[in-house]
């Protein structure tokens, strides 16, 4: 007895559905892969930008017209300064200052970054010789020469001294020390290094100010992404208020880290907080305004402004005299340089030049206010354009519906015909259509 197999419909249908699902997955994967690759462009550009900025600014530090001084007014001091200029080939700019106190003042004003005080015995002998020669014209030249040499030797063979200000830049002080140490060795004496403006005890290199800049910057520009992204549904004035409030919090955190926590700054904390707030508010307002125009590229744009170009030109690691012309030029007006140099001036250099650095920070804050204003105008115009487009679309849709859907016929009540009379009791309203009138006439004709 043979068995006839019937087609298994319930098996074939799932197989067909599986093939359809399998066919749809590659298209889904392709779209997802394209989406991921498009978003990978941002971190790759960040990688390129950070590499170009940091390596371009820090890879080959070398002095470029670094100002130094030789203390003394004698012929030997002038010859030494001229010799330094000739040998450096433009790397150094050596000058002479008459007194040690003058050199200290210029170091604290950051007009120079090192001052070489020549061997005291050599200076004494030179000065005594000249004085002896002048008096020798009256009392006898030979006798005064011998007296001058005796008094110069009595001063002792004092070691040459190098004056630096480490708080201004530890790297610049190190470079100057490397330049003048061999010079002292050729004079047969060890070099004595005197720091006229040392940094705080808990910040021996003076670079804590730079890392404070990094912390405040990250807190500021990372908040831009949150305010612009998560707060996109909020009106711009509320986003700007959030930016100002966040800058207050970020600046307070930075002040606490620099003061009570790590003791990078041991005085002037209110001034530090004021500059930190100016800096943070400028970054946040500029970023909030830029988000209206850059959208998902805002993070890349803010990082370019306040990391790639900002950290490298701030002078926190290498001063502009140790960098190429591009970053040295940025140092003169960029906001990170204004914060770092302003804080150094406030804490270590008795406020010299502080007002200029504060005005730099105020200028960037005003740029942020302007950027928010431009963003407000752009968003207002964008909303007006969207409202107009929506109104036009609604009008077009209404016209299309009116053209494709017929209007409903008006309903009329028609009375029943009276048998045998050939007439019907009908509505006689003015809006009665021609079709209804024709039907009534037919009914009268047949006597319904």
């Amino acid at each position: 007895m043979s068995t006839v197999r019937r087609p298994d419909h319930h098996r074939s249908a799932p197989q067909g559905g599986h093939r359809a699902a399998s066919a749809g997955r590659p298209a889904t994967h392709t779209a997802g892969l394209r989406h991921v690759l498009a978003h990978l462009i941002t971190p790759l550009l960040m990688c390129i930008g950070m590499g170009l900025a940091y390596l371009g600014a820090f890879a080959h530090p070398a002095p470029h017209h670094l100002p130094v001084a030789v203390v003394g007014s004698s012929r030997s001091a002038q010859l030494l300064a001229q010799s330094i200029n000739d040998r450096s080939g433009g790397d150094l700019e050596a000058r002479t200052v008459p007194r040690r106190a003058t050199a200290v003042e210029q170091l604290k004003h950051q007009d120079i970054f090192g001052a070489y005080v020549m061997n005291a015995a050599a200076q004494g002998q030179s000065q005594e010789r000249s004085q002896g020669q002048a008096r020798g014209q009256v009392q006898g030249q030979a006798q005064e020469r011998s007296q001058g040499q005796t008094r110069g030797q009595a001063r002792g063979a004092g070691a040459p001294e190098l004056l630096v200000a480490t708080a201004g830049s530890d790297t610049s002080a190190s470079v100057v020390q490397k330049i003048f140490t061999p010079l002292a060795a050729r004079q047969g004496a060890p070099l004595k290094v005197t720091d006229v403006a040392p940094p705080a005890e808990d910040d021996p290199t003076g670079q804590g100010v730079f890392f404070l800049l990094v912390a405040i910057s990250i807190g500021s520009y990372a908040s831009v992404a949150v305010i612009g992204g998560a707060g996109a549904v909020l009106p711009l004035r509320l986003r700007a208020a959030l930016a100002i409030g966040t800058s207050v919090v970020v600046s307070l955190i930075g002040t606490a880290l620099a003061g009570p926590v790590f003791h990078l700054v041991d005085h002037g904390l209110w001034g530090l907080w004021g500059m930190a707030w100016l800096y943070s508010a400028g970054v946040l307002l500029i970023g909030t305004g830029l988000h209206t125009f850059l959208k998902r590229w805002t993070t890349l744009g803010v990082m370019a402004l306040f990391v790639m170009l900002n950290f490298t030109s701030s002078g926190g690691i290498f001063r502009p005299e140790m960098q190429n012309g591009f970053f040295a030029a940025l140092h003169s007006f960029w906001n990170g340089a204004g914060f770092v140099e302003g804080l150094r001036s406030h804490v270590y250099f008795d406020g010299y030049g502080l007002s200029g650095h504060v005005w730099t920070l105020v200028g960037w804050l005003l740029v942020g206010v302007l950027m928010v204003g431009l963003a407000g105008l752009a968003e207002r115009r964008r909303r007006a354009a969207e409202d107009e487009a929506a109104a036009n679309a609604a009008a077009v849709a209404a016209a299309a519906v009116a053209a494709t859907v017929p209007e409903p016929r008006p309903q009329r009540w028609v009375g029943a015909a009276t048998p045998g009379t050939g007439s019907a009791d009908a509505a006689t309203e003015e809006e009665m259509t021609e079709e209804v009138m024709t039907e009534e006439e037919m009914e009268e004709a047949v006597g319904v």
Side-chain angles (χ1 to χ4, degrees):
M1 185 176 181
S2 62
T3 302
V4 179
R5 289 186 180 179
R6 286 179 293 182
D8 196 351
H9 297 289
H10 69 280
R11 289 185 181 178
S12 60
Q15 289 176 359
H18 178 71
R19 285 193 297 270
S22 300
R25 285 176 185 172
T28 303
H29 292 169
T30 301
L33 182 61
R34 189 182 299 111
H35 180 74
V36 172
L37 291 177
H39 282 76
L40 277 175
I41 295 175
T42 299
L44 293 177
L45 289 176
M46 289 180 181
C47 177
I48 296 172
M50 293 288 285
L52 291 175
Y54 273 74
L55 295 178
F58 299 148
H60 300 287
H64 299 282
H65 304 285
L66 182 68
V68 296
V70 176
V71 179
S73 56
S74 63
R75 177 67 176 170
S76 58
Q78 296 174 358
L79 290 176
L80 178 58
Q82 185 61 45
S83 175
I84 292 173
N85 288 328
D86 294 340
R87 292 180 180 180
S88 66
D91 294 340
L92 302 177
E93 287 186 358
R95 67 186 73 168
T96 59
V97 294
R99 295 180 301 276
R100 186 180 186 275
T102 305
V104 172
E105 182 181 3
Q106 291 188 7
L107 281 167
K108 290 186 176 182
H109 291 175
Q110 294 187 291
D111 295 329
I112 60 174
F113 295 93
Y116 183 74
V117 184
M118 297 177 62
N119 185 289
Q123 285 190 357
Q125 289 176 8
S126 176
Q127 292 175 358
E128 292 295 339
R129 281 197 190 101
S130 61
Q131 293 175 2
Q133 289 174 358
R135 289 191 295 269
Q137 295 177 358
V138 179
Q139 300 177 359
Q141 191 172 15
Q143 182 179 359
E144 288 298 328
R145 280 203 188 101
S146 63
Q147 290 178 357
Q149 292 176 357
T150 302
R151 286 192 295 269
Q153 292 172 358
R155 292 192 175 189
E161 182 184 19
L162 178 64
L163 306 177
V164 294
T166 307
S169 175
D170 180 70
T171 53
S172 297
S174 299
V175 169
V176 171
Q177 186 173 349
K178 289 180 180 179
I179 292 172
F180 284 101
T181 297
L183 183 61
R186 285 197 294 269
Q187 294 182 357
L191 181 64
K192 176 185 176 182
V193 179
T194 302
D195 194 349
V196 301
E201 183 178 354
D202 292 327
D203 184 23
T205 64
Q207 295 180 359
V209 175
F210 170 75
F211 294 108
L212 176 62
L213 170 71
V214 173
I216 296 175
S217 299
I218 291 176
S220 300
Y221 78 74
S223 299
V224 168
V226 176
I227 295 174
V233 296
L234 301 174
L236 183 61
R237 62 179 181 276
L238 188 53
R239 279 178 277 154
L242 284 173
I244 295 296
T246 304
S247 67
V248 174
V249 177
V250 170
S251 60
L252 288 174
I253 292 174
T255 303
L257 292 175
V261 178
F262 292 105
H263 307 287
L264 303 177
V265 177
D266 53 9
H267 65 279
L269 291 181
W270 282 111
L272 164 61
W273 173 79
M275 284 184 282
W277 177 79
L278 285 172
Y279 174 80
S280 179
V283 173
L284 275 156
L285 288 178
I286 290 174
T288 301
L290 283 177
H291 189 271
T292 300
F293 305 99
L294 299 183
K295 299 299 182 183
R296 72 183 185 92
W297 300 102
T298 302
T299 301
L300 179 61
V302 174
M303 282 194 66
L305 288 174
F306 303 119
V307 176
M308 300 174 190
L309 299 178
N310 192 27
F311 295 169
T312 51
S313 64
S314 66
I317 302 297
F318 297 110
R319 283 192 54 84
E321 294 83 6
M322 297 293 296
Q323 295 181 303
N324 58 44
F326 175 73
F327 293 100
L330 291 181
H331 181 85
S332 62
F333 65 92
W334 218 255
N335 59 342
F339 176 77
V340 169
E341 298 296 349
L343 186 55
R344 284 172 174 169
S345 174
H346 173 62
V347 176
Y348 299 122
F349 297 106
D350 301 324
Y352 181 80
L354 176 60
S355 60
H357 303 308
V358 171
W359 277 113
T360 297
L361 297 176
V362 171
W364 280 82
L365 177 61
L366 294 177
V367 171
V369 173
L370 177 62
M371 185 60 65
V372 171
L374 293 175
L377 291 176
E379 290 187 5
R380 192 176 299 114
R381 292 179 179 177
R382 188 179 300 168
R383 285 194 300 269
E386 290 175 353
D387 293 343
E388 183 179 357
N392 293 336
V396 171
V401 170
T404 56
V405 178
E407 295 182 0
R409 295 177 181 176
Q411 296 181 353
R412 301 287 183 250
W413 290 97
V414 182
T418 303
T421 60
S423 62
D425 201 1
T428 59
E429 299 177 359
E430 296 180 358
E431 300 89 273
M432 183 178 295
T433 61
E434 183 178 357
E435 183 180 354
V436 174
M437 295 175 64
T438 304
E439 290 178 356
E440 291 179 352
E441 293 174 355
M442 292 178 65
E443 289 175 354
E444 292 178 351
V446 299
V448 177

